[in-house]
Amino acid sequence: MNENQKFYNELVQRYIDGRANEKELALFFHLLKEGKLDQYLEENEVQINISNKINPKKVLYIKYLKYAAILFLVGFTTISIIKYRNTLEINDQKALLNKILPASEKAILLLSDGEEIKLDSNSNGLYLNGGQLKNGYGKLVNDNINEHYLINVPKGGTFHLVLSDGSKVWLNSDSKLKFPQHFNDGVRQVELTGEGFFEISKRTMENGKQQSFIVKTKRQSVEVLGTSFNIRAYGNEENVKSTLFSGIVKTKDNYSNQIATLAPGQQAISDSTGALNVSIADLEEISGWRSGSFIFNDAPLKEILSQMSTWYDVKIKINGNEDFRFNGLFSRNLSLGDALNVIGHSTDLDVKYKDNQVIVSAK
């Protein structure tokens, strides 16, 4: 069914159901006079008796209008069809965008032998305890000896786990974490791609010294004792950012070997040149993904839509002004359509959804 057929069929249905407004009634009778609605009436097996549907005087008026002001009706019909089609198209777009739901708890656990275990909200996280890997409800997931795990959180997902030393990790969408079944007496180390928030437990070795914990990314290595921090290290982003919330960390750029020690509220940024720069961080904005909020402070549209693309697992293309900046806070539990509406209140956004891709045009 092409667009014209879909439009005519919808108009007939609205007339039959008694939902047509005055403009739609005028348009219906004009198209009926032209014979363009006959097949749609026959398909619905409806015998239309105009005198039974509306006031007979109104029928006479409409008939008079058809012949005495035919030029007006033709112009009116053309405009009405265009407006009505646009309304239907906008409503269809909203419905499609509102079907795109936010991230949920899900991940894939890859074992050393290549076996994959799917995890979701029914798992209630992962916990390593005494060498056994269990979900949040105590169900055994794996107890192989000397395992190394890789947990992969896809776009549109989040997940949390507790490591064998009691350290807690929250993983954002499109993130991976490689971790061992047991930490030895040397250095505790995990490898991260994407974004993760860590709460590291202090651990004392047999010699009485505190054992370090290292989070290694492609560009940075962050060494801590007992602290909480966030690392953002997506492969498609130029910079790697480590942000300290509590405690103290030592950050090293893996390319230049520059080292920076952070205090709470500071952020270390490694760029593509190997430079390591320290600045004051907006902790509320950085931790928004964990608290269930999108928080943007003077953020460019390109960065905003990049985050939303990962969170909603949908391709988003920008046409027009990518540098438009937005300030605001809204829930990450909204559908994509509602989230885009929040941003749209601050700018002129034209949003279309076609072929599994969202196209955003901003003036």
Side-chain angles (χ1 to χ4, degrees):
M1 182 179 290
N2 60 34
E3 291 299 317
N4 281 339
Q5 291 172 330
K6 181 179 178 181
F7 166 69
Y8 290 154
N9 190 58
E10 172 70 9
L11 184 61
V12 169
Q13 287 293 332
R14 289 182 66 80
Y15 174 76
I16 293 171
D17 296 340
R19 293 181 291 117
N21 57 36
E22 286 190 10
K23 291 182 179 180
E24 289 168 342
L25 282 172
L27 180 57
F28 172 86
F29 283 110
H30 172 76
L31 295 173
L32 184 65
K33 171 182 173 294
E34 295 291 323
K36 294 181 178 180
L37 301 181
D38 294 348
Q39 72 176 87
Y40 305 97
L41 295 170
E42 291 172 1
E43 288 173 0
N44 286 278
E45 297 180 354
V46 175
Q47 299 297 322
I48 299 298
N49 184 338
I50 295 176
S51 63
N52 289 335
K53 287 290 181 180
I54 60 175
N55 190 297
K57 291 182 178 180
K58 192 171 184 180
V59 174
L60 293 175
Y61 170 74
I62 292 174
K63 287 182 177 179
Y64 170 79
L65 189 62
K66 293 176 187 173
Y67 296 102
I70 188 72
L71 293 178
F72 169 78
L73 273 175
V74 170
F76 171 76
T77 300
T78 302
I79 294 171
S80 296
I81 289 175
I82 292 172
K83 287 184 176 180
Y84 192 63
R85 281 179 180 167
N86 288 342
T87 300
L88 287 176
E89 182 180 352
I90 291 171
N91 289 336
D92 286 345
Q93 290 290 320
K94 287 181 178 179
L96 288 171
L97 289 170
N98 284 332
K99 287 182 179 179
I100 301 176
L101 301 178
S104 59
E105 190 167 85
K106 57 185 174 182
I108 296 175
L109 182 69
L110 181 65
L111 306 183
S112 298
D113 61 3
E115 181 185 353
E116 293 185 353
I117 300 174
K118 291 186 177 180
L119 307 166
D120 55 25
S121 57
N122 293 323
S123 304
N124 194 27
L126 278 178
Y127 299 82
L128 266 168
N129 189 359
Q132 293 185 328
L133 188 62
K134 299 180 180 181
N135 66 21
Y137 299 106
K139 183 178 179 180
L140 185 66
V141 175
N142 183 262
D143 62 352
N144 292 344
I145 299 174
N146 297 324
E147 259 307 355
H148 274 80
Y149 303 105
L150 176 65
I151 189 166
N152 181 3
V153 180
K155 291 182 178 180
T158 61
F159 209 75
H160 72 279
L161 61 152
V162 178
L163 304 178
S164 61
D165 64 343
S167 295
K168 299 175 182 179
V169 185
W170 290 262
L171 296 172
N172 202 352
S173 298
D174 196 22
S175 300
K176 297 178 182 179
L177 184 74
K178 185 177 181 181
F179 59 99
Q181 186 181 49
H182 298 281
F183 291 113
N184 57 34
D185 289 334
V187 175
R188 296 175 289 172
Q189 180 171 300
V190 298
E191 296 179 19
L192 172 72
T193 301
E195 185 169 21
F197 186 93
F198 296 80
E199 288 185 358
I200 304 304
S201 297
K202 288 186 177 181
R203 186 177 182 182
T204 304
M205 296 185 291
E206 291 182 357
N207 59 10
K209 292 184 177 180
Q210 292 292 319
Q211 187 181 30
S212 296
F213 190 107
I214 295 177
V215 180
K216 188 175 181 180
T217 69
K218 183 178 180 180
R219 191 168 293 162
Q220 275 188 7
S221 294
V222 178
E223 182 178 356
V224 303
L225 294 175
T227 184
S228 60
F229 58 99
N230 191 89
I231 301 181
R232 186 177 178 91
Y234 284 105
N236 61 345
E237 295 183 359
E238 292 183 2
N239 299 331
V240 173
K241 302 175 182 179
S242 299
T243 309
L244 183 62
F245 282 72
S246 65
I248 188 168
V249 302
K250 182 170 68 175
T251 306
K252 183 180 79 171
D253 186 280
N254 295 332
Y255 295 155
S256 66
N257 290 323
Q258 289 188 50
I259 295 175
T261 300
L262 301 183
Q266 289 186 321
Q267 181 180 78
I269 303 174
S270 291
D271 61 26
S272 56
T273 67
L276 185 63
N277 300 302
V278 177
S279 62
I280 301 299
D282 186 330
L283 299 184
E284 184 182 30
E285 181 177 6
I286 292 166
S287 64
W289 68 272
R290 275 196 61 226
S291 62
S293 301
F294 280 111
I295 302 174
F296 299 111
N297 294 319
D298 199 35
L301 184 62
K302 182 178 181 180
E303 178 183 323
I304 294 170
L305 295 182
S306 175
Q307 288 194 39
M308 295 177 70
S309 174
T310 302
W311 187 251
Y312 291 95
D313 188 18
V314 64
K315 294 180 179 178
I316 301 181
K317 178 183 178 182
I318 310 174
N319 290 331
N321 184 10
E322 296 183 2
D323 294 326
F324 158 78
R325 293 181 175 272
F326 175 80
N327 291 282
L329 178 154
F330 54 94
S331 172
R332 284 179 177 259
N333 293 323
L334 298 176
S335 69
L336 178 59
D338 288 338
L340 288 171
N341 281 339
V342 174
I343 300 173
H345 284 312
S346 298
T347 186
D348 229 351
L349 286 185
D350 179 46
V351 181
K352 293 183 183 290
Y353 183 63
K354 185 178 181 182
D355 299 328
N356 296 319
Q357 178 175 264
V358 178
I359 302 172
V360 177
S361 300
K363 295 181 181 180

